[in-house]
Amino acid sequence: MFLILLVPFFFFLFFLPYRPVSVLLGLKRHYKKRCQGRMRKHVGDLCLQAGMLQDSLVHYHMSVELLRSVNDFLWLGAALEGLCSASVIYHYPGGTGGKSRALRLQGSSLPAEAANRHRPGAQEVLIDPGALTTNGINPDTSAEIGRAKNCLSPEDIIDKYKEAISYYSKYKNAGVIELEACVKAVRVLAIQKRSMEASEFLQNAVYINLRQLSEEEKIQRYSILSELYQLIGFHRKSAFFKRVAAMQCVAPSIAEPGWRACYKLLLETLPGYSLSLDPKDFNKGTHRGWAAVQMRLLHELVYASRRMGNPALSVRHLSFLLQTMLDFLSDQEKKDVTQSLENYTSKCPGTMELLTLPDGLTLPPVPFTKLPIVKHVKLLSLPASLRPHKMKSLLGQNVSAKSPFIYSPIIAHNRGEEKNKKIDFQWVQGDVCEVQLMVYNPMPFELRVENMGLLTSGVEFEALPAALSLPAESGLYPVTLVGVPQTTGTITVNGYRTTVFGVFSDCLLDNLLGVKTSGSTVEVIPALPRLQISTSLPRSAHSLQPSSGDEISTNVSVQLYNGETQQLIITLENIGMEPLETLEVTSKILPTKEKLYGDFLNWKLEETLAQFPLQPGKVATLAISIKAKLDFSCQENLLQDLSDDGISVSGFPLSSPFRQVVRPRVENRPATAPEGSKVGDLSHLKTLEAVLNFKYSGGPGHVEGYYRNLSLGLHVEVEPSVFFTRVSTLPATSTRQCHLLLDVFNSTEHELTVSARRNEELILHAGECQRMAIQVDKFNFESIPESLGENGQFANPKQLEEERQEARGLEINSKLDIHWRIPSLKRSGEASVEGLLNQLVLEHLQLAPLQWDVLVDGQLCDCDAAAACPVGDPVRLEVRLTNRSPRCVGPFALTVVPFQDHQNGVRNYDLQDTVSFVGSSTFHLEAVQPSGQSACLGALLFLYTGDFFLHIRFQEGSRSKELPPSWFCLPSVHVRALGAQA
Amino acid sequence: MLKTKSGSFYFVILGHHDNPAFEVEFLPAGKAEPKDDYHHLNQFIAHAALDLVDENLWLSNNIYLKIVDKFNEWFVSAFVTVSHLRFIMLYDIRQEDGIKNFFTDVYDLYIKFAVNPFYEPNSPLQSSAFDRKVRFLGKKHLLS
């Protein structure tokens, strides 16, 4: 308002001495009107200054009338402007512009007037308008006082301003007032919210030609233009002119460029270009504004701040440019910007501190979250061997803590916990913990990142910074940042720290855009010892199947022949800082389709534990014996051989007198070609895999109930040693014994010896198959199933039967005690027949429940040895039956048939003259209760010397048909009748 | 006769966040490539004119807004599409009809490209075919 009020007056004073020459003189009337018009205008000004608004309006109106008629354009313009000013005061008593602006603009030119401007109570100090009549002014003006109709309507104000400006524009020298009028009109329009029209005025104002403006005035002019555009809401226009003003400050024509002013003005332009200096604003969605323009501005800011002598500001702006405009920089620009950034930072490194400008503006730090770009942050659990496990307490801690119920279908969701993003593994105090970042270098050149470390909170953490060099435009590149937690508690990984191009950045994960994180909070538990295992066996590249579940830290492998046993020495070293207090070893044999006999792994922990607690750096050892004992049968061949062999076990008469004929024999069977092909099938390797778990603990972690688990993978390749291609039985001479015939096949490439029961040694060449016969006592299996029955009470019959058979096999095997040895390799092992004993063989190996004993002369006759008896004397013959079966058997009638064997296939049964019975040749046995015993006695009289055999036969019908024939297997009796000793 | 003297043109398509989607310059034959500052000036002027474009938009029934702004020797004409994309043309010699035709043809062209489901509205137009065609239209309507 001050401006509006004073400029016409000022103008009046200023232009009075320079009367326009175009004014026509000569016409007195004309001259008078002009004088009157000007006078009225002047009076109007004075009235306005005096606060007599209505009066001034009247005077201005009259002045306009008078001046219009005489074409006194300059004064007419001034009068119109006065009219506008008065109307504006009337319409907008609050003023039109920014108060401070008006003060600043006019304060310099007319400071004295400042006190008078805008007095609310101006009406009271009225100068009576009537007093002016003496000056020849029409007194009727007083009648107009108080009439608001003289006042212009808001639309008229603008029209009159337009008119005034058009009059001013007729004069070259009137540029200043024309500009002023424009400015005033714009302010009015701004109030009226007519920005389009305002912009027209401003557009015009830009082109008003002002002569000989000083540089400062030029700057001021652009600044004001900018301010006015701001006023009408044209922020982009405003920013444009502000930038022009800023450029004007450092124009080449100025001797002392005002870089500080330029910088300040440039900062003010930023909002107009949708640019803020907080990098966080650029994380929100799409980029706003014209990147090329913004970059130009930032470059200008950098340059201006450098010229100002504030390198920290330059670094900050340049960092900001690189960080926020990275997507818009061309490859060359990226290079240039980083080059200059490095130049700046060599003198003044970029920091993470807030920069405060003298005028109070603060520049937030610019962390380089895009150099490199981090895509994924993942806290890594410790390696499997170092991962702590919580000892299971009897009462599940989680359950008891969350709910009073043992089971509830409603899962107690804890929102806070979810939000916490806590990860379900633990880190251990004092152990190196890792965080994996997937980083990407967006630069077209190699990016060197120095001092890359973790930012954490919650736990004292020693971050071990890493330096990395990322190749140009690298793909996702894994980077592992490490650190050691020094205390226990809950640690949160907040972000990471880098130094790139000399700029230190603290990048917080919360501020990163598009970062995938699977949680950033993890618990740190107290320190635990560390165990290192080394073994006597070579390490193996062969890893166990992933399905095993456990993560294996070390794998060892060994090759064994089937049945071989080897010692594995494990060296345990405590490489941590805490004493190793407890150790627990368990093994798990991975499921395999091979059937494993005997204990695969065996160890004694007591000796090792005696050395505990193991102090840091100390070593203990543990011996584990590995016994690989797989099936020694080759079942396909077995079946085949049995069927095409003449000797059918099932059809063999067990009490046959031919038993002596079929001697246990060694059958040489050279490895023929078809046999060889079979060998190929058999010799394939079989693998056994097992995991040894070492659970150990100690130190403060042990107190807290944590332990560590180290797993050792054991990979055993089992090469076949010997095979039993066929098994069969032959009755021995004694009913209590039998011969087990085994066809042994050497599938190794070495000479091999096989021994059974530590005596008979059989030499087998590579690929050779031989039959070996082992005489074995028959087994009484009855005692075993009973003991098993207790365990297998609820098992199904099939399983029970299997178990029973297994137990039998075990017993048989322990009796047989078959060993093999490869002398050339100095390796030896066991062989087992467990897998190849079928039901039939077993049956033959079993003692019959009815035990028959034949005693000749009180001596038990069971084997080949002949009982000697004198001729002529009666020989006592006793047949004894012991019933071990669970049922009552008998009665039986037995007939003794003596005969002589001529060893040529002829048997002589016609011995009535040679052998005589004392009494009956038929015996009768009473019924025998279970576990009962019965005996019958008779006597024989040999009349001649010779070898006799007694065949004890059941009489027709006396044998119970329902009992198996093998139960009636009586021993044959060989009697040698000798001449009476003289 | 005067037609032989043709001026230079700077054409830009601006998205909703004042972000340029496409920029092209047409210079009369024989005129040397101006220096770097010149490009920036064009961009600054075009950016400043946006205020006027946005205001004029409400005052006109046409989508072609004619001259909305001028700075020094530069005139700024604008054309606002239905999706509120702003075509801005900076030029130093008045050539209303040519510019109007140019805008209309570019709009046609733009629509064809915008219906491409792979084009995300507001993002920079990087199609070389589009660029080629716009240059052709420029030659046809502006530089002839």
Side-chain angles (χ1 to χ4, degrees):
Chain A
M1 185 152 69
F2 187 46
L3 183 83
I4 295 159
L5 194 129
L6 286 172
V7 168
F9 179 66
F10 175 63
F11 170 65
F12 170 77
L13 295 175
F14 186 74
F15 278 88
L16 211 52
Y18 308 98
R19 268 176 211 166
V21 284
S22 61
V23 175
L24 290 168
L25 302 172
L27 280 169
K28 197 181 174 186
R29 185 176 165 78
H30 192 93
Y31 182 75
K32 189 186 169 193
K33 266 193 176 177
R34 193 169 69 185
C35 287
Q36 276 180 341
R38 290 183 179 188
M39 189 62 189
R40 281 282 177 197
K41 193 261 166 197
H42 187 50
V43 173
D45 287 346
L46 291 171
C47 287
L48 199 58
Q49 285 177 59
M52 298 153 68
L53 197 59
Q54 297 301 338
D55 286 353
S56 67
L57 278 170
V58 171
H59 290 304
Y60 283 136
H61 267 295
M62 291 174 74
S63 165
V64 168
E65 295 275 310
L66 291 166
L67 293 173
R68 208 190 285 281
S69 61
V70 294
N71 290 338
D72 188 3
F73 293 122
L74 193 63
W75 282 86
L76 177 55
L80 283 168
E81 208 187 330
L83 190 58
C84 291
S85 299
S87 304
V88 166
I89 290 167
Y90 178 79
H91 283 293
Y92 313 108
T96 55
K99 291 106 209 160
S100 59
R101 285 287 324 139
L103 181 69
R104 199 159 66 88
L105 255 186
Q106 295 300 318
S108 54
S109 53
L110 287 165
E113 300 286 346
N116 288 343
R117 98 193 154 90
H118 195 232
R119 278 214 317 252
Q123 293 283 5
E124 273 87 55
V125 276
L126 277 178
I127 297 167
D128 184 13
L132 293 170
T133 49
T134 47
N135 294 339
I137 292 167
N138 199 333
D140 65 354
T141 51
S142 57
E144 310 275 346
I145 293 172
R147 282 207 280 158
K149 68 176 181 188
N150 289 328
C151 183
L152 295 171
S153 70
E155 287 76 27
D156 284 342
I157 296 173
I158 304 306
D159 287 342
K160 294 289 183 265
Y161 265 126
K162 269 186 193 157
E163 199 183 338
I165 289 162
S166 71
Y167 292 141
Y168 290 148
S169 64
K170 293 180 193 287
Y171 303 94
K172 273 191 176 176
N173 291 331
V176 173
I177 49 171
E178 187 187 348
L179 182 62
E180 295 271 16
C182 284
V183 168
K184 282 183 280 184
V186 169
R187 288 186 187 278
V188 174
L189 283 166
I191 288 175
Q192 294 177 356
K193 308 239 183 295
R194 291 157 70 183
S195 32
M196 260 328 276
E197 283 166 281
S199 86
E200 277 165 32
F201 276 99
L202 283 170
Q203 190 73 266
N204 182 45
V206 175
Y207 292 103
I208 293 168
N209 186 19
L210 297 178
R211 302 169 168 187
Q212 296 298 318
L213 276 182
S214 71
E215 295 296 340
E216 198 193 334
E217 283 167 328
K218 275 184 195 164
I219 296 163
Q220 218 166 50
R221 176 177 168 183
Y222 288 123
S223 294
I224 286 168
L225 276 172
S226 157
E227 221 157 281
L228 290 170
Y229 272 118
Q230 187 78 38
L231 204 64
I232 60 170
F234 284 20
H235 301 286
R236 288 164 284 199
K237 267 277 184 219
S238 163
F240 178 83
F241 282 106
K242 193 142 265 173
R243 182 175 165 275
V244 172
M247 294 296 111
Q248 203 69 51
C249 292
V250 292
S253 55
I254 297 176
E256 274 183 34
W259 287 107
R260 205 165 285 278
C262 170
Y263 179 79
K264 193 175 170 301
L265 286 168
L266 280 177
L267 273 187
E268 286 170 15
T269 65
L270 296 183
Y273 291 103
S274 320
L275 199 60
S276 90
L277 288 176
D278 191 347
K280 281 176 195 150
D281 295 342
F282 287 81
N283 292 342
K284 299 165 194 156
T286 49
H287 187 89
R288 307 189 75 84
W290 197 323
V293 169
Q294 290 169 340
M295 280 194 282
R296 176 82 187 180
L297 270 171
L298 287 169
H299 273 298
E300 281 164 357
L301 277 173
V302 170
Y303 188 71
S305 54
R306 186 169 78 91
R307 297 298 298 264
M308 271 161 67
N310 194 339
L313 273 183
S314 307
V315 170
R316 181 58 51 88
H317 286 307
L318 209 54
S319 313
F320 182 86
L321 171 68
L322 200 57
Q323 165 71 18
T324 59
M325 302 292 163
L326 194 66
D327 298 345
F328 304 100
L329 290 169
S330 68
D331 284 359
Q332 187 56 44
E333 282 170 326
K334 281 176 186 170
K335 271 179 204 166
D336 294 346
V337 169
T338 46
Q339 185 71 48
S340 49
L341 182 59
E342 275 175 325
N343 285 343
Y344 286 127
T345 52
S346 63
K347 291 162 207 149
C348 175
T351 62
M352 279 302 290
E353 282 151 31
L354 214 67
L355 287 182
T356 307
L357 296 177
D359 59 354
L361 191 75
T362 54
L363 296 181
V366 184
F368 277 148
T369 58
K370 286 183 178 172
L371 296 171
I373 296 169
V374 172
K375 281 282 179 206
H376 202 133
V377 177
K378 189 178 169 196
L379 275 65
L380 297 183
S381 181
L382 291 169
S385 60
L386 295 178
R387 211 167 285 165
H389 302 271
K390 184 84 178 165
M391 281 176 206
K392 286 189 184 80
S393 55
L394 279 172
L395 222 131
Q397 281 183 328
N398 293 341
V399 176
S400 62
K402 275 181 180 169
S403 158
F405 303 108
I406 295 168
Y407 169 76
S408 164
I410 303 157
I411 303 157
H413 273 303
N414 196 339
R415 282 178 191 280
E417 214 170 56
E418 277 171 32
K419 204 178 171 185
N420 228 356
K421 292 194 278 185
K422 198 160 177 171
I423 311 172
D424 61 351
F425 56 75
Q426 289 99 24
W427 280 353
V428 180
Q429 174 193 357
D431 275 6
V432 173
C433 300
E434 298 177 323
V435 174
Q436 194 184 51
L437 309 176
M438 297 303 282
V439 300
Y440 171 83
N441 172 18
M443 294 307 226
F445 47 84
E446 191 183 335
L447 184 68
R448 293 194 56 80
V449 185
E450 282 150 24
N451 297 322
M452 192 159 185
L454 289 172
L455 292 172
T456 57
S457 64
V459 164
E460 200 180 305
F461 189 80
E462 186 195 344
L464 307 171
L468 47 137
S469 182
L470 297 170
E473 310 259 3
S474 70
L476 275 185
Y477 204 87
V479 172
T480 306
L481 298 181
V482 295
V484 181
Q486 303 289 350
T487 56
T488 62
T490 302
I491 190 167
T492 305
V493 175
N494 296 326
Y496 59 94
R497 164 178 290 153
T498 58
T499 309
V500 181
F501 308 130
V503 178
F504 297 94
S505 311
D506 287 353
C507 307
L508 298 181
L509 296 183
D510 292 345
N511 298 341
L512 293 186
L513 200 67
V515 169
K516 282 187 215 153
T517 168
S518 48
S520 54
T521 305
V522 83
E523 199 188 335
V524 178
I525 64 147
L528 281 169
R530 285 179 67 174
L531 181 65
Q532 193 183 50
I533 283 183
S534 48
T535 69
S536 54
L537 292 176
R539 278 182 170 239
S540 152
H542 187 103
S543 59
L544 302 189
Q545 291 126 3
S547 60
S548 63
D550 303 285
E551 284 175 69
I552 313 294
S553 45
T554 325
N555 279 298
V556 293
S557 69
V558 64
Q559 179 264 326
L560 294 176
Y561 282 106
N562 195 0
E564 198 180 350
T565 304
Q566 188 161 344
Q567 286 280 312
L568 165 66
I569 307 293
I570 293 175
T571 311
L572 309 163
E573 187 180 0
N574 182 3
I575 53 167
M577 303 305 289
E578 303 296 331
L580 196 74
E581 286 161 18
T582 64
L583 176 70
E584 200 179 306
V585 183
T586 54
S587 72
K588 193 172 98 183
I589 298 162
L590 300 190
T592 164
K593 59 177 185 290
E594 311 298 337
K595 192 155 169 54
L596 191 64
Y597 298 98
D599 286 335
F600 180 38
L601 298 169
N602 225 330
W603 64 84
K604 285 200 171 69
L605 198 59
E606 291 75 21
E607 289 166 34
T608 314
L609 287 181
Q611 303 171 48
F612 276 45
L614 203 61
Q615 294 303 321
K618 291 288 186 318
V619 174
T621 56
L622 173 68
I624 290 178
S625 67
I626 308 166
K627 187 161 88 174
K629 204 164 149 194
L630 297 174
D631 200 352
F632 285 85
S633 68
C634 50
Q635 290 170 349
E636 294 150 36
N637 289 7
L638 179 72
L639 287 172
Q640 203 181 346
D641 281 3
L642 278 173
S643 58
D644 65 20
D645 198 296
I647 310 159
S648 173
V649 180
S650 57
F652 201 73
L654 287 155
S655 53
S656 161
F658 293 107
R659 61 191 183 266
Q660 283 174 310
V661 179
V662 194
R663 290 280 311 165
R665 61 193 168 157
V666 170
E667 186 183 293
N668 268 312
R669 208 193 271 180
T672 52
E675 194 86 0
S677 69
K678 277 181 194 168
V679 174
D681 293 329
L682 300 173
S683 64
H684 71 268
L685 291 176
K686 287 167 179 172
T687 46
L688 287 175
E689 286 171 326
V691 180
L692 280 166
N693 285 313
F694 296 84
K695 282 185 183 177
Y696 64 96
S697 186
H702 182 52
V703 179
E704 293 280 309
Y706 286 96
Y707 66 92
R708 271 177 170 156
N709 191 5
L710 188 63
S711 296
L712 177 70
L714 186 61
H715 179 85
V716 181
E717 288 193 337
V718 185
E719 269 192 60
S721 50
V722 291
F723 281 114
F724 299 111
T725 57
R726 180 164 57 168
V727 64
S728 56
T729 51
L730 273 179
T733 45
S734 162
T735 52
R736 303 289 165 82
Q737 290 185 327
C738 86
H739 291 285
L740 188 68
L741 303 182
L742 296 166
D743 286 6
V744 191
F745 174 70
N746 174 10
S747 63
T748 65
E749 292 169 347
H750 309 275
E751 193 179 271
L752 184 141
T753 65
V754 182
S755 68
R757 308 182 72 174
R758 306 200 179 281
N759 41 29
E760 300 164 54
E761 201 158 84
L762 189 68
I763 297 167
L764 287 167
H765 299 285
E768 196 180 21
C769 187
Q770 290 202 18
R771 176 165 294 177
M772 73 187 287
I774 308 159
Q775 188 174 338
V776 286
D777 292 334
K778 286 197 177 181
F779 299 93
N780 180 14
F781 296 128
E782 298 307 319
S783 55
I784 308 159
E786 277 169 32
S787 64
L788 273 168
E790 290 161 20
N791 301 337
Q793 223 163 9
F794 300 107
N796 58 48
K798 197 179 173 187
Q799 213 171 344
L800 203 68
E801 185 55 43
E802 264 175 34
E803 269 176 41
R804 194 172 292 175
Q805 193 153 342
E806 216 165 272
R808 287 171 187 180
L810 200 68
E811 199 190 337
I812 294 167
N813 206 49
S814 62
K815 280 273 175 59
L816 291 178
D817 195 21
I818 305 172
H819 280 84
W820 54 262
R821 203 157 60 81
I822 303 172
S824 60
L825 297 177
K826 288 184 177 153
R827 293 171 79 162
S828 62
E830 301 167 27
S832 154
V833 295
E834 283 165 68
L836 61 155
L837 294 170
N838 55 17
Q839 193 59 44
L840 264 171
V841 174
L842 278 173
E843 227 164 74
H844 288 277
L845 284 172
Q846 193 169 1
L847 268 178
L850 296 184
Q851 192 186 324
W852 303 89
D853 296 304
V854 179
L855 290 92
V856 176
D857 210 6
Q859 284 182 321
L860 198 65
C861 275
D862 193 26
C863 44
D864 289 339
C869 54
V871 174
D873 284 347
V875 179
R876 200 156 47 95
L877 183 69
E878 186 183 356
V879 176
R880 204 181 280 167
L881 168 63
T882 311
N883 184 9
R884 291 209 181 95
S885 75
R887 66 170 92 177
C888 183
V889 291
F892 303 109
L894 300 154
T895 310
V896 179
V897 181
F899 68 92
Q900 276 188 305
D901 191 347
H902 292 228
Q903 302 279 350
N904 56 2
V906 178
R907 291 180 176 191
N908 180 16
Y909 287 92
D910 189 22
L911 293 171
Q912 285 98 330
D913 301 337
T914 322
V915 183
S916 164
F917 287 93
V918 179
S920 173
S921 66
T922 307
F923 301 100
H924 289 279
L925 277 169
E926 296 307 313
V928 184
Q929 295 299 320
S931 73
Q933 214 174 19
S934 177
C936 55
L937 283 165
L940 278 168
L941 183 70
F942 293 96
L943 302 175
Y944 298 98
T945 57
D947 275 9
F948 298 93
F949 295 92
L950 299 177
H951 185 195
I952 302 166
R953 221 164 42 190
F954 290 89
Q955 282 197 334
E956 283 296 307
S958 78
R959 213 173 88 178
S960 312
K961 290 279 186 279
E962 66 267 23
L963 296 177
S966 64
W967 288 24
F968 301 98
C969 173
L970 268 87
S972 61
V973 185
H974 183 190
V975 184
R976 183 162 291 156
L978 302 167
Q981 299 284 317
Chain B
M1 277 292 121
L2 280 170
K3 269 247 166 180
T4 52
K5 189 203 167 199
S6 63
S8 34
F9 298 84
Y10 167 73
F11 171 66
V12 62
I13 299 177
L14 285 158
H16 299 161
H17 306 300
D18 295 359
N19 52 319
F22 182 80
E23 279 180 281
V24 70
E25 247 172 288
F26 303 104
L27 299 170
K31 192 166 174 182
E33 190 73 15
K35 57 182 183 184
D36 190 42
D37 271 2
Y38 174 87
H39 293 293
H40 284 300
L41 189 62
N42 284 346
Q43 289 168 344
F44 274 105
I45 294 168
H47 185 264
L50 286 176
D51 274 323
L52 285 150
V53 175
D54 289 352
E55 283 296 328
N56 270 309
L57 182 65
W58 305 107
L59 305 175
S60 169
N61 290 326
N62 284 325
I63 52 174
Y64 174 53
L65 299 179
K66 295 181 183 158
I67 296 177
V68 290
D69 194 10
K70 57 182 193 287
F71 181 78
N72 293 350
E73 75 273 25
W74 292 101
F75 299 98
V76 183
S77 283
F79 182 92
V80 183
T81 71
V82 178
S83 61
H84 203 264
L85 236 62
R86 288 155 298 183
F87 293 4
I88 306 284
M89 177 74 85
L90 254 71
Y91 52 99
D92 47 10
I93 292 163
R94 281 186 179 238
Q95 201 179 337
E96 294 283 337
D97 289 346
I99 288 167
K100 187 183 177 181
N101 294 336
F102 174 77
F103 277 154
T104 318
D105 286 359
V106 171
Y107 188 31
D108 279 354
L109 200 58
Y110 171 77
I111 286 166
K112 282 174 196 164
F113 277 82
V115 293
N116 181 346
F118 296 106
Y119 176 70
E120 196 185 318
N122 247 346
S123 64
L125 277 156
Q126 281 159 332
S127 159
S128 58
F130 185 81
D131 182 74
R132 205 171 53 243
K133 284 175 182 168
V134 170
R135 282 178 196 279
F136 168 75
L137 290 175
K139 272 194 195 116
K140 181 180 163 193
H141 294 299
L142 307 172
L143 300 180
S144 60

